[in-house]
């Protein structure tokens, strides 16, 4: 009976309406994050990726549109934050695995690459990356970039929102809630992350003499590193 009550409490710890409402927003964010990869595929005329990306984008946009009419939650609990964060880091690599199927990698290898990217691990199963399409190379580094930013921001927002230490660390202005302070903190992190990324891309562009190579290395390096568009990485 104790286990049954505990399981029932766990179920009611989250509100499905909140998950649907916030999930719709996350779906829209993921759809927007897919657009740069689609643009790269069009720019380099790798048109075989266009249809898979459209197939991924349509359900995300439809779900986002369907959940727009749900009432906006005034507060997201820690449990709901955990569920949303886990869902984002599980569904994102699955969606991009399907979108990058034309790369020629086996499903398991491609899923490994996408999970490694979004979790900023940087491990790869590809022996000769210079033979891979630019859409694949860009998407992998791009995912590592926004995965790194997401882990930092989401961890601070959901894991530490009730912590007195974080309230003191963020120096929340008197008369304002911790949510406001966290929003300010997240924006500061984004601005720092963005400027460091631009600097890394410029340095990479200067060193390699190629903007695309500099961009891929900049996205990867500013997170945790590991991914490269060259077989010899930074050597040579």
């Amino acid at each position: 009976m104790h286990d049954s009550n505990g399981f029932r409490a766990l179920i009611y710890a989250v509100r499905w309406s909140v998950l649907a409402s916030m999930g719709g927003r996350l779906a829209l964010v993921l759809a927007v994050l897919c657009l740069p990869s689609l643009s790269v595929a069009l720019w380099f005329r790798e048109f075989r990726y266009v249809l898979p990306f459209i197939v991924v984008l349509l359900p995300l946009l439809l779900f986002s549109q369907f959940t727009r009419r749900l009432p906006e939650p005034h507060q997201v609990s820690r449990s709901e934050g955990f569920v949303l964060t886990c869902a984002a880091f599980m569904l994102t690599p699955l969606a991009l695995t399907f979108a990058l199927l034309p790369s020629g990698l086996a499903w398991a290898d491609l899923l490994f690459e996408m999970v490694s990217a979004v979790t900023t691990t940087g491990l790869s199963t590809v022996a000769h990356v210079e033979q891979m399409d630019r859409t694949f190379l860009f998407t992998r580094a791009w995912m590592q970039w926004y995965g790194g930013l997401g882990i930092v921001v989401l961890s601070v927002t959901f894991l530490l929102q009730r912590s007195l230490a974080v309230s003191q660390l963020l120096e929340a202005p008197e008369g304002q809630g911790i949510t406001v302070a966290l929003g300010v903190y997240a924006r500061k992190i984004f601005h720092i992350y963005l400027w460091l990324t631009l600097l890394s891309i410029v340095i990479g562009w200067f060193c390699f003499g190629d903007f695309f190579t500099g961009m891929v290395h900049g996205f990867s390096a500013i997170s945790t590193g590991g991914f490269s568009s060259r077989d010899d990485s930074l050597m040579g």
Side-chain angles (χ1 to χ4, degrees):
M1 181 64 68
H2 176 73
D3 291 339
S4 176
N5 291 335
F7 180 70
R8 197 157 41 239
L10 181 62
I11 292 178
Y12 289 107
V14 298
R15 296 162 291 175
W16 294 106
S17 60
V18 172
L19 295 182
S21 177
M22 299 302 296
R25 298 184 185 187
L26 287 174
L28 180 60
V29 170
L30 179 56
V32 172
L33 291 174
C34 288
L35 294 180
S37 295
L38 180 58
S39 301
V40 169
L42 293 172
W43 179 264
F44 289 105
R45 298 180 179 274
E46 296 172 347
F47 298 121
R48 57 188 175 277
Y49 290 96
V50 173
L51 181 58
F53 267 105
I54 292 177
V55 171
V56 169
L57 283 169
L58 284 179
L60 294 173
L61 294 174
L62 288 174
F63 180 72
S64 175
Q65 183 67 23
F66 178 76
T67 56
R68 283 185 61 186
R69 297 184 179 181
L70 293 174
E72 181 178 353
H74 297 290
Q75 185 178 7
V76 179
S77 70
R78 183 180 302 183
S79 298
E80 291 159 349
F82 277 136
V83 173
L84 290 168
T85 303
C86 291
F89 280 93
M90 290 176 62
L91 295 179
T92 299
L94 287 174
L96 272 299
T97 295
F98 178 83
L100 293 180
L101 280 177
S103 65
L105 290 180
W107 172 269
D109 292 339
L110 190 53
L111 179 60
F112 179 90
E113 296 286 325
M114 297 300 99
V115 172
S116 178
V118 79
T119 58
T120 73
T121 306
L123 298 176
S124 178
T125 62
V126 181
H128 303 289
V129 293
E130 293 180 6
Q131 300 177 4
M132 302 301 296
D133 297 325
R134 296 200 173 193
T135 302
F136 170 83
L137 296 175
F138 172 83
T139 301
R140 191 177 64 163
W142 173 240
M143 287 180 66
Q144 187 177 16
W145 183 85
Y146 66 70
L149 178 63
I151 287 176
V152 173
V153 175
L154 290 175
S155 296
V156 170
T157 302
F158 291 126
L159 295 181
L160 305 175
Q161 64 175 347
R162 293 185 177 88
S163 171
L164 177 60
V166 171
S167 177
Q168 296 171 342
L169 175 65
L170 299 180
E171 297 180 353
E174 187 174 345
Q176 295 185 10
I178 185 65
T179 303
V180 177
L182 286 169
V184 173
Y185 182 74
R187 285 192 294 271
K188 287 182 179 179
I189 287 182
F190 175 75
H191 291 154
I192 295 173
Y193 201 76
L194 181 60
W195 281 111
L196 289 175
T197 301
L198 294 175
L199 179 61
S200 298
I201 291 175
V202 171
I203 293 175
W205 187 6
F206 175 79
C207 293
F208 294 110
D210 178 70
F211 176 74
F212 181 83
T213 304
M215 179 173 57
V216 168
H217 284 84
F219 283 150
S220 178
I222 202 62
S223 176
T224 54
F227 286 147
S228 175
S229 58
R230 295 158 52 103
D231 290 339
D232 58 359
S233 188
L234 298 180
M235 298 177 62

